[in-house]
Structure formats: C-alpha cells, structure tokens
Amino acid sequence: MPGNNFNCVPLTPRSRLERLLRERELRKSFKLVQPTEEARDGSKEGEQFYGDSYISENEISGNHKEEEVTETNADARGFTGKQRLLVVANRLPVSAVREGVESYRLDISVGGLVSALLGVKEFDTRWIGWAGVNVPDDVGQRALTKALAEMRCIPVFLDEEIVNQYYNGYCNNILWPLFHYLGLPQEDRLATTRTFQSQFDAYKKANQMFADVVNKHYEEGDVVWCHDYHLMFLPKCLKQYNDKMKVGWFLHTPFPSSEIHRTLPSRSELLRSVLAADLVGFHTYDYARHFVSACTRILGLEGTPEGVEDHGKLTRVAAFPIGIDSDRFTQALELPEVQEHMKELKERFAGRKVMLGVDRLDMIKGIPQKILAFEKFLEENSHWRDKVVLLQIAVPTRKDVPEYQKLTSQVHEIVGRINGRFGTLTAVPIHHLDRSLDFHELCALYAVTDVALVTSLRDGMNLVSYEFVACQASKKGVLILSEFAGAAQSLGAGAILVNPWNITEIAASIGYALEMSADEREKRHQFNFKHVKTHTSQEWAATFVSELNDTIVEAQLRTRQVPPLLPNKVAVDCYSKSNNRLIILGFNATLNEPVDALGRAGQIRELEHKLHSNTKEPLKKLSDDPKTTIVVLSGSGRAVLDKNFSEFNMWLAAENGIFLRHTSSEWMTTMPENLNMDWVDSVKHVFEYFTERTPRSHFELREMSIVWNYKYADVEFGRIQARDLLQHLWAGPISNASLDVVQGGRSVEVRTIGVSKGAAIDRILGEIVHKKGMKTPIDYVLCVGHFLAKDEDVYQFFEPELPSESPPVPRAMLSKSNSYRPSSLSKLPATTKTSSKAAQYKKQRSLSNIEKRELDQWRPMCGDKIALHEGSSVLDLKGDNYFSCVVGRKRSSARYLLKTSDDVVNLLRDLAEHSSSPT
Ligand SMILES: O=P(O)(O)OC[C@H]1O[C@H](O[C@H]2O[C@H](CO)[C@@H](O)[C@H](O)[C@H]2O)[C@H](O)[C@@H](O)[C@@H]1O
Ligand SMILES: O=c1ccn([C@@H]2O[C@H](COP(=O)(O)OP(=O)(O)O)[C@@H](O)[C@H]2O)c(=O)[nH]1
C-alpha cells in the first residue's frame, strides 16, 4: 500500500484560528447559560477562589471543613464535565507552617502567579507544588498531604539541601537575575558546594521530583500546565514518561534577549527541555520572540511564525498576557471591613495625597529607584513636602538569598535618610512596611491611592498595576508605570510610562501625576479599566488551555501530512523482482553530505556541493546494471553535475531538466534559442547587493536561473533580507519579465517561467526511452529528492492513483493507468497534446556543446516516439511498484520519507546488493 495516501490528507475542517474563535464563542455562550458560581452557591464575599474550591480565610488558617471542599463535594456540586487541569508550579497557593507533629497552619502565598491562578475557575483544577516547608518525616508528610488535599493541592516534598541549591541557588540566584537582565553571578561568589553545576544538578533533580508527583496523579486527558522558570525541565521529564500527555509551559518572568540567554552555561539543555512542551506561553510578544530567537540562534532550529520546529516537531510559542480576577477586587470594595479600612486610611492621611508602591522586596522591582525619585521630587517641590505621602509595601521574599538580604538593608537605609531629611515631628514622607497585607487591607489601600508607582527594572507582567486600576473606579487615580514591566504593553496608553533608571523622569512624572486634571485622569483611567475588566485571569487560563488543546489537534493533523518512513525492504524486494527500473535522484541534500546544525549556525564546511563519499560505490553498481536507468535530476548546473557524476553510466538532468545528457554523450537542451535572458544581469546585481550585506550568504549563477542562498547565515536576518530582496526584485528587474520566483526554506531562486522537475520529466523520459530503444515497459520507479515544493510535481508525474483534489500535473500524455499510450493521446484536449508543446521547443540554444547535437534529437516527445510499440505503455506502474520519497522534509506530496542523505546511502547500498553487473 502506498505510504502517504498520496498526500490526500483530508483538508483541516477549519484553520487553527477558525477553530480557536469557535471555541471562544462556545465558551462565551456556555458562560451565559451556566449560572455563575456566586449565584449557585450564594455570595462568597471575602473568600479566596481557588479553581473549583473556595479557600476561605477560615480554611486557610487551619480550620478545614473537610465536607465543604473535598473533591467529592465539588463533583456533587456539578463541577464534573470540566476539563481536569493539573497546575504545576514551584509554589502552592498556600504555604505551610508546621505547628505540631501533625498540624499545620496554611497561609496564602504572595506573588502574581498565585494571585492570577486563584482566579481561574473554569477547570477542574488540582495544584501540584512545594508547600514552602521542609517535612522530613512520614507522619508529617501524610498529615500535610491530607490538609492540602482539602484544597486540591498536592505537595512535592523538597528537602532543605534541594531547596537551597535548586530554589535559592539555581532559580533565584541564577535564572531570576538573568531573565531580568541583571546578569549572572560570578562563580567565585558561590561557595564550592554551590557551583553552577551542583545547582543545575539540583534543579534537574527537583524538576524530576515534580514530574514524579505529576505522573502519579495524571489521568488520561488531563491538561498539565507547568509554570515558570523553576520548572523548565519539567516538560521534558513529563514527555519522556508519557509522550501523549498534553503539556503546556508558561513563563511568568520576561524571557531575555538571546544575547543574554546565551551566557547561561546550561542554555541549550534548558531550551530543549522547554521545547518538549506542546505549547509555550509568555506574557508579551517580545518575550516570545526572544525565546524563538534563542532557539534559532543557540540551537540552530527553525523559528516560524507558529513557534519552533525541530525535525518536523512543532512547539507552538505564543503570547498570553495574564490578567486578574477584577470582579474579586471591585466586589471586595463593597465589603464593610474594606470600607472601614478605607475610612481609617482617609482619616490618617487627610490633607495629603497618597502615593503607593506594592512590591515584593526584590531587586527587579526598582524600589531604591522609586524612593530616590520621590526624594528628588520632594527636593525640587518644597510646596508638596507636607502634602504627599508615599506608602511602600515591601513584602519580604526569598530571604535566604544574600542579594535579597543586601537589598533589604539598602532600602531601609535610603528610607531612613529621606525620612530624616524631610520628616517632621508629626509626619514622615515615606511609610515603609516590610510585610504583606491581607487582601482587604490591600484593596482599601489601592482604593484610597492617588498615584500608584510601579518602577520595576524588569517585570514579567506586574499585577499590582492591574489591581490598582481595578480598585480605582471612583477615585480615578494615576498609574506611573515602568516601561520595562510587561504591563506597560497593555496599560501603557492610560498610564504615565517611565524609564525606571531615569530618576529625573520619574520625579517629573510624580509632579505631573499629582497635578493632573480630573478630565485627563478620567480618560486615562477608563482606558485601563476597560482592559483590566476584559482581560481577566479566567480568560487568560481558558485561552491558554484552549490553545493547548488545539495544538494537539493541529499536531495530529500535521503528523498525518508527514509521509511514513520508506520501507526499505519492500522497496528493495520490488526492485529485485522488476525488469526495467528507473531511479530518479535529486542531488542537493540527497546525494551529498548532510549539513549539521553547527555548520548552519556559523562554520561553513563546504559551499560547494560534493557527492557523499559513501554513495559512489552503490551508485556505480546500480548504474552499471543493464536493467536499471539512473537519472540525476537536479537544480544544479551542468558543470556541477559533470564534476560529480561523469564517471557513472547514467543520465544527468541539470537546472531542473532544462539540460540533459547521458554521461556518454553531449548535453542537449530544450530551451528555445532566442529565449530572453536580459533579466539575468539585473537580478544578479540585486543578489550581489544582498550577498554583500548578508554575512555567510552566497549566490549561484546558473545558465537559466540564479539562486541566493542564506542557509549558513543568521536565520532571522536571512529571512528579513530575503523579504527585502523579494521586494526589490518585484519592484525592479522582474516586474515585467516572465519568470518564476521560487522561495525555498533558506533560498530565493529566480528561474525561467514554467521550469520545474515535473514539467521536464516527460521530455526526459521520452528521450531515455527513445535513446535506449526500450522494448519493455518500466515496471519500477524510485524517485528520491529533497525538492522544493514547486518541483515536487515530479512525484505526481508518476503517481498512478492521484487523489481527485490534487493539482494538475504536466502529464498530458498519461492515460488513467499512467501509461504512455499513443492511442489514448488523441483523446486528450488539444492544448495538452504534446504536439502543441512541440511548438514551444523549437530549437536548442546556441551553446557550443549543444550545437554539436542534431537539433531534433531532443525535441519534445511525440506520441509515436514514446510508445514502445502501438498500444503498449512505457510505464507500467500500478501503485506498489512506484516509490516517491522525500528526503529530510516533513511536508511533502511524496509517498515516503527518508530522514537524511545517510538514509539514501543505505537505501542505495541495499538496492546495489540486488543489482547485476553487465554481462
Ligand atoms: O514564589 P516566590 O519565589 O516568593 O516569588 C513570587 C512569584 O514571583 C514571580 O511572579 C511573576 O509572576 C507574575 C504573574 O504572572 C508577574 O506579574 C510578575 O511580573 C512575575 O514576577 C514568579 O515568577 C513566581 O513564580 C513567584 O511565585
Ligand atoms: O501584601 C501584599 C502585597 C502583594 N500581594 C500580591 O502579590 C502579587 C504581586 O504580583 P506582581 O505580578 O505584581 O509581582 P510578583 O510579586 O509576582 O513579581 C499581587 O497579586 C498582589 O496582590 C499580596 O497579596 N499581599
């Protein structure tokens, strides 16, 4: 049975975008018919949502009411039917503090990731992660597992040493600063027990521990969503265990420019592990672009608009900007306790404008810069000194990492100095809190604030800015936002954007914000408020999971388009049983040595195409077999084919079949003599121009075509240059010429119109039949090549069972059974008859060596010439004696696939073993 079903893959019912839009509509209409959870369960004011479970303040503080929140109850409440989602993150939404042998206090974990995922309600969610506590004993582990199960949390137990090396070390001392452009720590700052290598080993070990827990709880059909830089190894571990698992990975931090990422000693391993996921998500398009770029530059992989391709496997990469559960904030503002807090705050700061900063005490948050800018503002605006106060909530974080300890004392020192400088007996300008606030206090604070200050030096998104906007419906305060926070891309239009490194600019912005007119504040606020209300964390999660589901559908469709591997044994058996075989071979990437990824990334091994050394022997044997005819059909010019194949007994078809010769005779051509080739010089100029400006690109001037090749150049730059080159071509030299521009993976070719391997093969075949004086039909065809899509028509030329939707191939002379039958020719429409083609190929070009031949010796084939004798066929292909085979391409109309030219060598060797020598 033919392998690829002749590429008659049923067309995808919808495009990916259509499918996703439909899915989105379905989600919306589902929401409309489903009662909201609040409506179903009554008001849940003051509670923290966690997926399908509610984590109330009571539950969190340890008063677990098992019957309210167990999975069984959740199911009974009608939550079944939702997709199971396993959220895997370093930190669980609750951190445990051990209070006795079997008792724990559970506190909500602070940080954007937890806040965002608490808002996700659409799925039947379980959370797998570390509870932030070392529990070495079995009794304690069992008790904590039980307590967490009530919140649908599953713990991963990490011991102190692992936490130290993996979390404090590799995650927070190496990856975190690097991803936020703060560079790598010097290795000598690390003790000998904490080297890059030991920390990286611990990182891998910890990721495997997470994977083990996931594997244990995984059920078929689950979606596994891995989060953040802590778990870059996880997708690989999971896929190694079960490659059917749907795995997504989302990064909450920025992904830095590839120039930064490439400094990381384990750069490649990390990228490869992430690429094992089906879908990789980032907050912004820039981060996604950096990631793809790192994969192309560091790993030498193919970056496409869809994602990253590695040997045909696509990992989708896209931006999914996170949001917040805005309703939770707006509803909280109505609560009496929040109103009470607001009242207290208003009284406390009456007569002063309130400025607010809420950050984890982290280097990336730019807290010193913010405070220094505030100092500058007070310095330059003495009239504001007793009219404004800055409240800075600095939540302690990662306290075991030395850099964070240093930051704490640095911030304390600056605050102390400024308060000493501008404070009075009754008031200080900065209120600095080294602690977190509870949700209600935080909402109240957001609501009474006049100006929020976010000065992150880098920040994946920054949810504080979203939360502030959500709480400002009545006050309409101003947001000053760092342009280096992901949020700047979504809230940039309503906020005042600043460069956090520019203290003067921030100070000026503070003044502008404090004095902004009500009208302008209103407009800016409305813009951002709308965004925060619509781009919620629920939408974010639903979109990600829906794309992840769809990515699997897409991958299945793609896989169905990949031809199966050539069954060598079948091809060889069939070969040995046949009497008149035709083998058509491409040259580039088929018979020459493969180019490895490193070669692509920089070092040019060979610009010149050279025959794979292991090919020579089998090729010699095959070409000497009287029952076998070999044609090398290549885009390369005559000189290249001469140089590589003159020693063999075979046919050479150069420049996609424009030139043909048997190695025992001269070249001939079908090109009309007076063909207009005026375009060549001007196209050459354009190619020269781009070659000069694209390092490691080159161009090849052939007789009938020119090819510009950038396979050794920087891929991204090469692509941009190719686009630019095409524009130049269309606008100039080829605007009026009859030419084909053929784009390859990493090349642009300009050739005379209508030239393709498929278009040439009928003439070549006719000539061979004629010259060889064939008496028996060809009963075996093997056609192997790494052809451009345009040239794949050669596969279809021989195809006995073309699917009905296949594009027409230049097979004017073929009858339905794929045989040349003079008798059937007359039945074809006049335009497709060879006699009409004949007129096109009047004379050969006036090339000296071609002129030696009689002009009509290689003329277009006429019916009477290509028939063996009246009524008999040249080709006797029934389906199982035809093997079309693509080399190293995953999308092809060929029946079969060979992965590399090494596989071609092996095939030729096997065939050669079944060949006979001339008698
Ligand atoms: O768990 P910790 O080590 O204490 O750190 C807390 C979290 O910090 C980071 O948050 C990021 O995620 C936010 C939501 O996507 C985003 O808005 C923010 O810009 C990021 O910094 C970290 O990525 C999380 O893993 C930590 O849990
Ligand atoms: O006292 C506090 C201060 C902050 N947060 C939360 O911590 C998160 C911080 O997220 P962000 O994205 O701004 O930065 P991250 O800390 O994740 O880097 C926000 O949801 C805040 O509501 C909190 O719960 N209590």
Side-chain angles (χ1 to χ4, degrees):
M1 277 300 286
N4 197 20
N5 204 15
F6 319 135
N7 199 28
C8 60
V9 178
L11 291 172
T12 314
R14 295 183 187 92
S15 71
R16 194 176 60 81
L17 189 65
E18 281 170 318
R19 286 198 306 272
L20 291 171
L21 285 172
R22 203 178 114 82
E23 159 85 21
R24 195 165 172 271
E25 268 170 34
L26 282 176
R27 270 205 317 269
K28 274 192 179 164
S29 49
F30 180 75
K31 266 186 207 158
L32 285 178
V33 293
Q34 286 281 327
T36 63
E37 293 181 359
E38 286 80 356
R40 213 171 18 220
D41 296 342
S43 171
K44 293 283 171 187
E45 286 172 347
E47 286 175 333
Q48 306 270 1
F49 277 113
Y50 170 50
D52 292 337
S53 314
Y54 297 104
I55 302 178
S56 71
E57 301 289 331
N58 279 345
E59 286 155 4
I60 288 162
S61 59
N63 303 329
H64 316 300
K65 295 179 197 149
E66 202 164 325
E67 66 284 4
E68 277 176 22
V69 283
T70 55
E71 283 183 34
T72 339
N73 275 349
D75 290 345
R77 289 198 295 194
F79 293 116
T80 45
K82 290 180 175 183
Q83 185 164 25
R84 265 177 53 115
L85 174 66
L86 301 184
V87 168
V88 197
N90 171 65
R91 198 175 274 285
L92 287 173
V94 282
S95 300
V97 179
R98 197 164 186 173
E99 290 185 325
V101 181
E102 292 187 60
S103 67
Y104 290 89
R105 192 187 78 229
L106 301 178
D107 299 327
I108 279 266
S109 312
V110 175
L113 188 149
V114 171
S115 305
L117 282 162
L118 284 176
V120 174
K121 302 162 206 163
E122 258 189 53
F123 301 94
D124 177 7
T125 312
R126 277 135 187 92
W127 192 307
I128 295 174
W130 173 55
V133 63
N134 181 24
V135 188
D137 56 303
D138 284 350
V139 177
Q141 289 194 358
R142 269 199 303 277
L144 182 55
T145 306
K146 189 161 174 270
L148 290 171
E150 293 172 12
M151 283 157 209
R152 297 177 164 224
C153 292
I154 303 163
V156 177
F157 291 105
L158 305 173
D159 65 36
E160 252 172 47
E161 176 58 14
I162 283 271
V163 169
N164 202 19
Q165 298 253 10
Y166 144 77
Y167 177 67
N168 294 329
Y170 200 76
C171 293
N172 290 336
N173 198 33
I174 294 179
L175 289 182
W176 178 267
L178 188 78
F179 282 10
H180 290 88
Y181 291 79
L182 297 175
L184 285 172
Q186 295 292 323
E187 228 185 320
D188 58 16
R189 271 197 358 230
L190 304 168
T192 42
T193 48
R194 292 182 58 194
T195 59
F196 272 129
Q197 196 51 51
S198 69
Q199 295 188 346
F200 188 50
D201 290 344
Y203 181 82
K204 286 197 273 189
K205 190 171 165 199
N207 274 242
Q208 187 57 54
M209 291 165 85
F210 278 82
D212 293 343
V213 177
V214 175
N215 294 339
K216 200 170 140 203
H217 290 84
Y218 173 81
E219 288 176 15
E220 203 184 318
D222 286 359
V223 165
V224 184
W225 191 2
C226 313
H227 289 267
D228 237 355
Y229 60 99
H230 312 90
L231 299 177
M232 294 176 84
F233 243 83
L234 188 56
K236 189 175 170 201
C237 301
L238 295 175
K239 286 286 190 174
Q240 269 170 352
Y241 176 78
N242 178 357
D243 68 355
K244 299 273 175 306
M245 220 183 250
K246 282 180 199 170
V247 178
W249 180 79
F250 187 87
L251 183 67
H252 290 263
T253 70
F255 192 89
S257 142
S258 62
E259 284 304 300
I260 298 279
H261 183 78
R262 61 191 275 227
T263 60
L264 187 65
S266 43
R267 61 196 185 181
S268 304
E269 260 184 288
L270 283 181
L271 292 176
R272 285 202 184 280
S273 316
V274 167
L275 287 175
D278 301 294
L279 176 64
V280 171
F282 299 89
H283 281 313
T284 71
Y285 171 70
D286 281 343
Y287 307 159
R289 191 168 53 81
H290 290 155
F291 176 79
V292 173
S293 172
C295 293
T296 56
R297 283 155 189 259
I298 296 168
L299 303 179
L301 299 178
E302 191 77 22
T304 73
E306 300 272 273
V308 179
E309 235 183 277
D310 184 3
H311 292 97
K313 193 233 169 218
L314 175 79
T315 306
R316 243 186 82 62
V317 179
F320 301 89
I322 205 169
I324 60 165
D325 181 4
S326 53
D327 289 348
R328 187 172 151 236
F329 286 84
T330 44
Q331 284 161 14
L333 294 181
E334 307 300 321
L335 298 176
E337 57 265 51
V338 176
Q339 295 281 336
E340 188 55 34
H341 282 309
M342 285 168 64
K343 190 166 159 267
E344 281 165 19
L345 288 166
K346 279 180 191 160
E347 281 167 13
R348 174 89 179 75
F349 300 113
R352 297 168 91 181
K353 293 273 184 188
V354 175
M355 295 186 56
L356 177 67
V358 178
D359 311 270
R360 277 180 309 103
L361 190 51
D362 195 305
M363 296 78 73
I364 66 147
K365 299 292 181 182
I367 299 172
Q369 285 79 353
K370 177 176 357 190
I371 300 173
L372 289 173
F374 185 62
E375 179 184 32
K376 190 167 171 58
F377 171 75
L378 294 180
E379 212 172 71
E380 291 169 355
N381 299 278
S382 50
H383 59 288
W384 271 105
R385 285 181 195 162
D386 55 352
K387 293 194 188 73
V388 62
V389 60
L390 170 63
L391 311 181
Q392 175 63 47
I393 312 301
V395 183
T397 183
R398 305 170 194 176
K399 287 183 281 188
D400 296 329
V401 181
E403 295 299 304
Y404 287 77
Q405 294 160 0
K406 266 190 244 159
L407 177 70
T408 312
S409 31
Q410 188 195 359
V411 169
H412 286 176
E413 194 186 308
I414 307 174
V415 171
R417 182 167 55 74
I418 299 171
N419 277 346
R421 191 172 164 201
F422 296 111
T424 64
L425 274 179
T426 50
V428 287
I430 304 177
H431 286 241
H432 179 89
L433 263 67
D434 268 348
R435 68 171 183 89
S436 63
L437 301 182
D438 75 27
F439 179 61
H440 294 152
E441 287 173 321
L442 195 59
C443 290
L445 203 47
Y446 283 141
V448 301
T449 295
D450 295 281
V451 177
L453 257 179
V454 176
T455 53
S456 310
L457 306 179
R458 295 276 166 180
D459 216 337
M461 178 56 83
N462 191 281
L463 294 183
V464 162
S465 49
Y466 276 61
E467 294 167 4
F468 166 71
V469 170
C471 293
Q472 284 284 319
S474 60
K475 192 147 194 143
K476 299 178 179 65
V478 184
L479 173 65
I480 297 178
L481 178 59
S482 162
E483 61 188 62
F484 296 112
Q489 305 209 359
S490 40
L491 304 181
I496 299 178
L497 289 185
V498 289
N499 171 2
W501 297 97
N502 187 341
I503 305 285
T504 310
E505 187 190 355
I506 306 175
S509 300
I510 292 174
Y512 186 73
L514 288 171
E515 285 168 23
M516 189 182 284
S517 70
D519 193 34
E520 187 177 347
R521 279 195 285 115
E522 162 90 31
K523 276 190 196 132
R524 285 176 180 264
H525 168 77
Q526 284 311 341
F527 193 93
N528 283 346
F529 192 68
K530 194 167 163 221
H531 183 91
V532 169
K533 288 294 280 181
T534 48
H535 295 74
T536 60
S537 50
Q538 292 95 311
E539 268 307 307
W540 166 71
T543 310
F544 186 92
V545 176
S546 139
E547 288 225 15
L548 177 53
N549 284 323
D550 191 76
T551 301
I552 311 286
V553 173
E554 185 83 2
Q556 282 162 353
L557 288 168
R558 283 168 63 92
T559 314
R560 282 160 65 189
Q561 289 174 331
V562 179
L565 288 178
L566 176 76
N568 272 28
K569 191 170 169 335
V570 177
V572 173
D573 282 354
C574 185
Y575 175 86
S576 61
K577 286 180 196 139
S578 51
N579 287 310
N580 188 9
R581 308 129 178 172
L582 174 67
I583 299 182
I584 299 166
L585 299 168
F587 180 33
N588 300 320
T590 303
L591 294 178
N592 52 16
E593 308 265 359
V595 178
D596 63 19
L598 264 184
R600 261 197 217 161
Q603 288 140 20
I604 300 172
R605 294 252 175 94
E606 307 260 4
L607 267 186
E608 220 177 279
H609 305 300
K610 253 170 89 189
L611 188 59
H612 199 306
S613 51
N614 299 338
T615 317
K616 290 193 175 175
E617 210 184 303
L619 215 46
K620 175 96 182 76
K621 200 154 177 226
L622 285 168
S623 60
D624 285 343
D625 184 333
K627 286 193 206 168
T628 305
T629 305
I630 297 188
V631 184
V632 171
L633 174 53
S634 170
S636 297
R638 295 187 286 158
V640 175
L641 298 195
D642 279 342
K643 196 168 160 200
N644 286 283
F645 298 99
S646 289
E647 63 188 276
F648 303 102
N649 172 21
M650 58 170 58
W651 290 83
L652 305 179
E655 299 210 20
N656 297 310
I658 292 175
F659 299 103
L660 179 73
R661 82 163 174 125
H662 186 269
T663 44
S664 61
S665 52
E666 299 293 319
W667 285 102
M668 49 196 171
T669 186
T670 51
M671 279 328 273
E673 188 181 19
N674 48 3
L675 191 71
N676 182 355
M677 297 296 283
D678 294 348
W679 55 272
V680 173
D681 272 350
S682 40
V683 172
K684 192 177 136 211
H685 281 138
V686 176
F687 278 21
E688 269 168 354
Y689 177 93
F690 280 89
T691 304
E692 278 163 19
R693 282 157 186 77
T694 313
R696 299 197 294 263
S697 72
H698 63 279
F699 76 91
E700 202 183 322
L701 181 61
R702 299 168 179 167
E703 287 170 79
M704 297 292 167
S705 62
I706 312 187
V707 187
W708 180 67
N709 198 314
Y710 56 95
K711 71 176 165 192
Y712 301 108
D714 178 288
V715 188
E716 286 172 20
F717 184 55
R719 285 226 182 97
I720 295 168
Q721 293 289 80
R723 214 178 308 144
D724 212 9
L725 177 146
L726 283 170
Q727 267 168 17
H728 272 72
L729 285 180
W730 290 125
I734 63 167
S735 53
N736 293 317
S738 296
L739 298 170
D740 273 335
V741 179
V742 186
Q743 283 192 68
R746 291 178 189 188
S747 65
V748 178
E749 178 177 339
V750 181
R751 54 166 90 150
T752 304
I753 201 155
V755 173
S756 75
K757 291 185 167 77
I761 194 66
D762 60 343
R763 298 191 302 271
I764 295 171
L765 190 56
E767 183 64 19
I768 293 171
V769 168
H770 173 63
K771 268 305 265 308
K772 276 194 121 175
M774 272 184 195
K775 296 283 181 291
T776 54
I778 294 170
D779 57 355
Y780 179 93
V781 173
L782 170 70
C783 181
V784 184
H786 175 85
F787 300 139
L788 291 168
K790 182 171 175 64
D791 292 318
E792 284 213 340
D793 51 1
V794 68
Y795 297 136
Q796 290 171 52
F797 176 85
F798 293 100
E799 195 53 75
E801 296 163 31
L802 278 171
S804 52
E805 73 261 34
S806 286
V809 288
R811 241 182 10 179
M813 297 164 294
L814 296 181
S815 74
K816 233 187 158 191
S817 62
N818 199 11
S819 308
Y820 284 111
R821 285 177 197 277
S823 55
S824 65
L825 276 179
S826 55
K827 291 182 195 136
L828 292 168
T831 49
T832 59
K833 280 184 185 174
T834 46
S835 56
S836 66
K837 278 189 182 172
Q840 298 166 24
Y841 309 125
K842 285 171 293 184
K843 280 184 161 187
Q844 295 167 354
R845 285 198 70 210
S846 54
L847 297 164
S848 55
N849 55 345
I850 297 169
E851 274 171 349
K852 290 186 198 139
R853 248 185 83 78
E854 282 290 320
L855 292 185
D856 59 355
Q857 267 185 317
W858 194 35
R859 61 185 178 215
M861 307 307 137
C862 301
D864 59 358
K865 231 182 167 185
I866 53 172
L868 300 174
H869 49 79
E870 184 63 29
S872 69
S873 316
V874 167
L875 290 171
D876 182 15
L877 298 180
K878 295 177 195 75
D880 52 3
N881 53 354
Y882 171 48
F883 298 85
S884 55
C885 192
V886 66
V887 184
R889 281 196 207 287
K890 294 281 173 171
R891 258 156 288 169
S892 168
S893 60
R895 291 180 172 199
Y896 300 107
L897 166 75
L898 282 173
K899 284 188 176 158
T900 66
S901 57
D902 289 334
D903 297 331
V904 179
V905 172
N906 291 335
L907 172 68
L908 295 180
R909 273 194 189 136
D910 291 348
L911 294 173
E913 276 177 23
H914 292 80
S915 286
S916 46
S917 314
T919 44

